[in-house]
Amino acid sequence: MSRAGTVAQPSDLIDVAALERAYVELVPDVSNPDQQVAFGTSGHRGSAFDTAFNETHILAITQAIVEYRAAQGITGPLYIGRDTHALSLPAERSALEVLVANGVRVVADARGSVTPTPAVSRAIIAYNAAGNADQADGIVVTPSHNPPRDGGFKYNPPHGGPADSDATSWIADRANALIAAGLEGVQRTEVVGGSDERVELVDFRADYVEALGSVIDFDAIRAAGLRIGADPLGGAAVEYYAAIAERYDIDLTVTNPAIDPTWAFMTLDWDEKIRMDCSSPNAMASVLARKDEFDILTGNDADADRHGIVTPDGGLMNPNHFLAVAIEYLFTHRAGWRADAAIGKTLVSSSMIDRVAESLGRRLWEVPVGFKWFVPGLVDGSVGFGGEESAGASFLTADGTVWTTDKDGILLCLLASEIRAVTGKSPSQLYGELTARFGAPVYERVDAPATREQKARLGRLTGDAVTATELAGDAIVARIVEAPGNGARIGGLKVVTDRAWFAARPSGTEDVYKIYAESFVGVDHLRQVQAEAKAIVDAALAG
């Protein structure tokens, strides 16, 4: 019997001391691909137990970042933040030792505490918008929603969002070369905690919380008298929500203020692992149990770049559903945005967003998977909202200027309360109204086995590789290998009909490819789409 959705047992918990020892003691062999530095869509991730995230990795990556930013002429401050994973604090210390030794002007949290990803993004953007002669960038030490045994390390250049593949490829290659050379070329010095005068300090929390008034209508939330619950799931948002409640005088309760690197209070995810995925009903089971106590109840992952929205009438909302509701609300309640500001979505997000965009008369900007693709549009205001199916999004301030260029889960959680306050309806009720107008889509992601060679071939496919003319009884109207919004390669394939679509992308970490599919007909039709999608992809890979 599956234990998914039940509270973790002692046998599920990591040995934090052993993990920290492995971080220092195990040295990676970069001739082994599993132990190399490799940046996915959200930085380098892995576990010290697997020799995939160790001190050697972080020293080398940080030195590579120092050299990259020097080559790019980036001479301003580097803002660094971390989440609550056990490996995040030691990794931050390792990074500081390299940054200080290289003479980088580095800025850390004044409270010596954890920092959500969006707070770092916001700090970078604010500095660079202030007319300084130099430019800031940043590092966030986080594996996001990954299990407690993992660590993560992400670089954000001066635009404040995730680095693009050109930057991350250079940094990864240089880091692996430094590791292969036994860290020769890595500069390092001892840094004395938060008291080292070579490390500048900033109150990330105070600055972020104060600026939130430019992007969320707190007056409406306060006037409505909403009862709001926020569960940070033991992540970096825990200290931020209390400060938000106090600053804006709203009825917001932090339902679980605990921070525990083992995450012993979590309910297990679908695979019986501890995973702080705020879009998973299993991981959010303890939050869902309290849904009737609040008008809006929310969850975040460990670095607070993702959001989970819970309503009394609908429970945990599917991320695609909330994105569609958020988009319709924002584009009808933000008069300060440009009239031509587009709606940004990743190509594996729901087509409900397409229908909402059409009804609003707004341009849809469809990009490959990865939040980095939204950065240019958010920076210049040409994209009002950027969102992805994995519960990550951000949007512009009320006057149409950039807020963050990385995902902001706190922002989207607060938006849910604003929507409830202004409309008098829950986001789930509003989604019901959308389905009444546009139909009720069924969406799911499944995995199919694939070798490394097959995954590489999938990433290089052209539309001509698909010879099928129909999908689940409907004519195929598009075979997409380049994103319509920006022409970038999607690293896979998307096939579209008038009533359904599927997309296939290789996994970056497992020997599988992912099939995303959606049908506006129903579950049986979705199953037919998924079966034919696998046959179409397999035929294309064999061709």
Side-chain angles (χ1 to χ4, degrees):
M1 183 176 177
S2 173
R3 294 190 297 128
T6 64
V7 177
Q9 299 299 311
S11 59
D12 299 311
L13 307 183
I14 59 168
D15 181 333
V16 173
L19 185 67
E20 292 175 342
R21 286 195 302 273
Y23 173 78
V24 175
E25 295 172 1
L26 299 185
V27 178
D29 174 7
V30 289
S31 66
N32 180 346
D34 295 332
Q35 298 181 20
Q36 293 176 356
V37 173
F39 279 77
T41 55
S42 295
H44 173 74
R45 296 183 186 179
S47 178
F49 287 142
D50 302 328
T51 326
F53 188 95
N54 303 83
E55 184 178 63
T56 299
H57 289 110
I58 304 309
L59 296 173
I61 295 171
T62 308
Q63 182 66 43
I65 289 172
V66 169
E67 296 174 12
Y68 174 81
R69 70 194 305 270
Q72 299 297 311
I74 302 168
T75 58
L78 183 146
Y79 292 91
I80 188 167
R82 72 175 191 276
D83 75 1
T84 53
H85 276 78
L87 291 176
S88 294
L89 179 57
E92 182 186 47
R93 288 171 178 159
S94 299
L96 287 173
E97 291 175 356
V98 175
L99 293 168
V100 169
N102 280 274
V104 173
R105 180 187 168 194
V106 60
V107 184
D109 185 65
R111 297 174 304 115
S113 190
V114 291
T115 307
T117 284
V120 176
S121 178
R122 183 67 197 161
I124 296 168
I125 289 169
Y127 182 90
N128 291 335
N132 293 292
D134 51 14
Q135 286 194 309
D137 55 359
I139 289 171
V140 189
V141 188
T142 174
S144 190
H145 63 292
N146 278 30
R149 72 197 303 270
D150 287 359
F153 203 79
K154 183 171 66 172
Y155 174 62
N156 286 28
H159 57 55
D164 63 26
S165 54
D166 289 342
T168 56
S169 294
W170 190 95
I171 291 167
D173 288 345
R174 176 57 177 154
N176 286 321
L178 288 166
I179 295 171
L183 297 183
E184 183 178 350
V186 174
Q187 299 185 53
R188 183 182 186 187
T189 188
E190 184 178 356
V191 175
V192 186
S195 62
D196 197 305
E197 62 183 16
R198 295 169 296 178
V199 177
E200 297 181 31
L201 302 177
V202 66
D203 193 336
F204 282 107
R205 184 180 66 176
D207 292 348
Y208 174 88
V209 170
E210 186 62 31
L212 272 174
S214 70
V215 66
I216 291 292
D217 186 352
F218 287 103
D219 290 340
I221 296 173
R222 187 185 315 108
L226 295 185
R227 292 172 298 118
I228 305 166
D231 192 330
L233 298 185
V238 61
E239 298 169 348
Y240 280 58
Y241 279 115
I244 290 166
E246 180 179 359
R247 169 63 182 83
Y248 295 103
D249 189 25
I250 58 176
D251 183 1
L252 187 158
T253 301
V254 179
T255 59
N256 177 16
I259 292 181
D260 172 9
T262 71
W263 269 277
F265 51 79
M266 282 295 295
T267 51
L268 302 178
D269 205 358
W270 62 273
D271 55 358
E272 300 185 7
K273 291 184 179 180
I274 296 174
R275 186 179 288 111
M276 291 64 71
D277 183 354
C278 49
S279 65
S280 165
N282 291 312
M284 288 277 283
S286 61
V287 182
L288 282 165
R290 302 187 63 178
K291 70 182 181 64
D292 296 326
E293 298 177 30
F294 302 95
D295 296 306
I296 291 289
L297 179 57
T298 63
N300 294 110
D301 61 344
D303 68 321
D305 72 343
R306 299 190 186 203
H307 59 273
I309 309 301
V310 177
T311 67
D313 56 289
L316 178 63
M317 291 188 72
N318 179 295
N320 276 304
H321 298 180
F322 183 66
L323 292 183
V325 169
I327 287 165
E328 180 170 72
Y329 174 82
L330 286 166
F331 281 87
T332 54
H333 289 80
R334 291 297 189 268
W337 291 7
R338 285 168 42 175
D340 64 345
I343 294 168
K345 61 164 266 193
T346 53
L347 83 160
V348 296
S349 299
S350 174
S351 287
M352 177 63 86
I353 296 171
D354 304 46
R355 300 183 183 200
V356 170
E358 184 178 5
S359 74
L360 293 169
R362 291 281 182 164
R363 178 170 61 93
L364 184 72
W365 199 56
E366 191 171 13
V367 298
V369 173
F371 202 79
K372 64 185 179 182
W373 300 106
F374 297 125
V375 169
L378 291 171
V379 167
D380 65 15
S382 63
V383 172
F385 179 98
E388 54 187 14
E389 87 299 336
S390 57
S394 189
F395 53 89
L396 302 177
T397 64
D399 66 3
T401 55
V402 61
W403 169 248
T404 61
T405 46
D406 214 327
K407 301 184 290 288
D408 191 340
I410 298 173
L411 179 72
L412 271 292
C413 288
L414 293 169
L415 177 66
S417 292
E418 180 187 329
I419 291 171
R420 173 67 175 79
V422 173
T423 67
K425 299 175 183 178
S426 73
S428 47
Q429 288 174 317
L430 292 172
Y431 184 73
E433 294 180 3
L434 291 180
T435 63
R437 291 163 58 192
F438 303 120
V442 185
Y443 178 103
E444 190 175 56
R445 195 201 91 187
V446 297
D447 295 340
T451 64
R452 289 193 180 191
E453 293 74 19
Q454 288 173 322
K455 290 196 299 178
R457 200 177 307 143
L458 175 58
R460 297 191 299 265
L461 281 182
T462 65
D464 295 338
V466 176
T467 57
T469 58
E470 290 188 351
L471 174 66
D474 294 325
I476 292 173
V477 298
R479 301 168 179 83
I480 299 169
V481 295
E482 295 178 348
N486 58 5
R489 295 275 305 178
I490 68 175
L493 171 73
K494 184 175 182 179
V495 175
V496 184
T497 74
D498 288 335
R499 301 193 300 170
W501 60 268
F502 80 82
R505 297 179 59 251
S507 169
T509 57
E510 301 174 86
D511 288 334
V512 298
Y513 66 86
K514 304 173 183 180
I515 298 175
Y516 306 80
E518 184 174 48
S519 167
F520 275 79
V521 179
V523 174
D524 291 344
H525 189 249
L526 177 69
R527 297 290 175 250
Q528 188 178 355
V529 170
Q530 290 171 324
E532 293 187 20
K534 187 176 185 306
I536 289 171
V537 173
D538 288 347
L541 294 178

